[in-house]
Amino acid sequence: MAHPREAPVDIAGMAFAIALFALFLVTPDGSADAAPATPTIDFMMATRSTVFTDESTEVFCIAHHADDRPLIYTWFASEGILVPSNDSALWFAPAEPGTYTVSVEVRDDAGSIAYDSVTIAAVPNEPPVVASLTAVPSQLLPGESATLTCDAYDPEGQAIEYEWLGPSGYIEGTGPVVTWTAPARPGPHNVVVKVTDEMGASHTRNVRITVVCPTPPQIEELLVWPMLPDYTTEDVRGGYRLLRGSYTECELECIAVAPYGDLTYQWSATDGSISGTGPIVLFTPPHDTAEVYVTVVVRDVCGQSAEAEMLFRVFLREEYSTVVDYQPGCLRCLYGY
């Protein structure tokens, strides 16, 4: 019995169908889901790649998202202090020199992350250098002035401030050139200059100036100018014989010389009174019999002094009368002794 003829198998068709199915599986069409977008960092930079230790610099990060999703910035630093502000941060370098890394992590709300970093070098701030410090002249008399000049610079090119210090004397001016006026005290005097850069690094240096004093003053003479010359006479024992009271006031004059500067005069009396200052004063004798010593001390600008004194023997006598009660043979009655 004959079997019915079986349908032939279409091997070529089957192969085509399998290839088409495979192509459908591996080739996406427009309806397939695309991979989600992630944050992109366009660039990251620091305003200064080299700073001084303890100095700061600002770091920026420019990033975007293809889908305009919000971005979150998280900042990190290997050392130092960070003050973040969204897409920027202020970084303060540590006190130790070195190379440090500041990095940022940019994250979207889906959790995708982008990362970048910059390196910043922290270097020590060198203090200013004082090349020279001069005083012209370097030797002065009291009250004279010298010009002080400081030649200084900063290795990093920063601006410099000058501060002048002098425990004695008087400093006038600011900046690299000032004037110093010498005090009365003789001897060496130090004037200090402190130069400071913009970062606070400083350097000090001093210059020595010598104040010299001339020879001490000398009193050449003490002069007496009486108001009533008839009642003021030189005493053979020394000094002057003077009638008591204000009628016989005397001007006293001290003649003194000094090689330099002005002189000051200090007068005193053991009795009576002194009026006035300077080289000429008025001496009023006491109203009683006395031996009065008048002293004058003369000082120069350095404090060096000379001293002199004068003796007045004050005697009693009635007020002068134009009526003469003469008794023959009585000189005492005639002259009042």
Side-chain angles (χ1 to χ4, degrees):
M1 180 172 181
H3 296 283
R5 179 179 293 181
E6 296 179 357
V9 178
D10 189 355
I11 301 299
M14 292 178 61
F16 175 77
I18 292 172
L20 183 63
F21 179 73
L23 182 64
F24 175 78
L25 289 179
V26 299
T27 303
D29 59 15
S31 63
D33 292 335
T38 60
T40 300
I41 295 178
D42 299 301
F43 72 92
M44 181 181 177
M45 63 168 290
T47 54
R48 288 191 294 170
S49 59
T50 301
V51 297
F52 294 120
T53 53
D54 295 320
E55 198 182 15
S56 65
T57 183
E58 198 166 6
V59 184
F60 296 92
C61 176
I62 304 299
H64 74 279
H65 197 286
D67 295 337
D68 292 330
R69 291 188 173 186
L71 300 177
I72 301 172
Y73 298 81
T74 305
W75 294 88
F76 308 92
S78 57
E79 284 191 49
I81 299 175
L82 268 175
V83 181
S85 178
N86 198 26
D87 59 353
S88 66
L90 188 64
W91 179 72
F92 292 86
E96 292 296 323
T99 301
Y100 302 95
T101 301
V102 176
S103 55
V104 65
E105 180 183 272
V106 182
R107 180 190 300 266
D108 63 13
D109 55 358
S112 298
I113 297 174
Y115 177 87
D116 203 353
S117 64
V118 294
T119 57
I120 305 171
V123 298
N125 178 33
E126 298 295 332
V129 176
V130 177
S132 66
L133 178 60
T134 58
V136 179
S138 60
Q139 184 169 294
L140 303 173
L141 291 170
E144 289 186 334
S145 297
T147 299
L148 310 185
T149 304
C150 178
D151 181 14
Y153 65 92
D154 186 75
E156 294 92 8
Q158 300 181 58
I160 297 176
E161 291 185 354
Y162 299 81
E163 181 182 3
W164 295 88
L165 307 169
S168 57
Y170 176 72
I171 297 173
E172 184 177 8
T174 58
V177 181
V178 298
T179 300
W180 181 79
T181 302
R185 180 170 60 87
H189 296 264
N190 289 315
V191 179
V192 177
V193 64
K194 179 180 180 182
V195 288
T196 306
D197 66 18
E198 298 173 82
M199 293 299 299
S202 63
H203 182 73
T204 59
R205 190 164 170 180
N206 70 283
V207 60
R208 175 169 292 189
I209 309 169
T210 302
V211 177
V212 295
C213 280
T215 56
Q218 294 181 350
I219 296 177
E220 296 183 338
E221 194 173 3
L222 284 181
L223 301 177
V224 178
W225 305 101
M227 297 297 181
L228 296 176
D230 292 342
Y231 297 98
T232 305
T233 60
E234 292 192 44
D235 197 315
V236 294
R237 295 168 294 177
Y240 286 82
R241 193 167 183 267
L242 186 64
L243 184 67
R244 68 182 176 89
S246 60
Y247 290 106
T248 54
E249 292 176 334
C250 300
E251 279 191 341
L252 308 182
E253 182 178 2
C254 176
I255 298 178
V257 294
Y260 171 81
D262 297 328
L263 295 173
T264 59
Y265 299 80
Q266 182 180 356
W267 295 84
S268 61
T270 57
D271 206 344
S273 64
I274 299 287
S275 302
T277 59
I280 301 176
V281 296
L282 183 65
F283 168 60
T284 302
H287 291 279
D288 298 313
T289 302
E291 285 191 349
V292 180
Y293 287 90
V294 176
T295 303
V296 60
V297 179
V298 180
R299 289 186 173 85
D300 64 11
V301 293
C302 288
Q304 302 174 117
S305 64
E307 182 177 326
E309 68 177 10
M310 182 178 296
L311 172 62
F312 291 91
R313 292 183 176 90
V314 181
F315 64 93
L316 298 177
R317 183 173 178 173
E318 298 298 329
E319 292 186 7
Y320 179 77
S321 174
T322 57
V323 178
V324 177
D325 183 12
Y326 174 70
Q327 300 177 20
C330 182
L331 293 177
R332 179 176 177 277
C333 298
L334 179 62
Y335 294 104
Y337 295 129

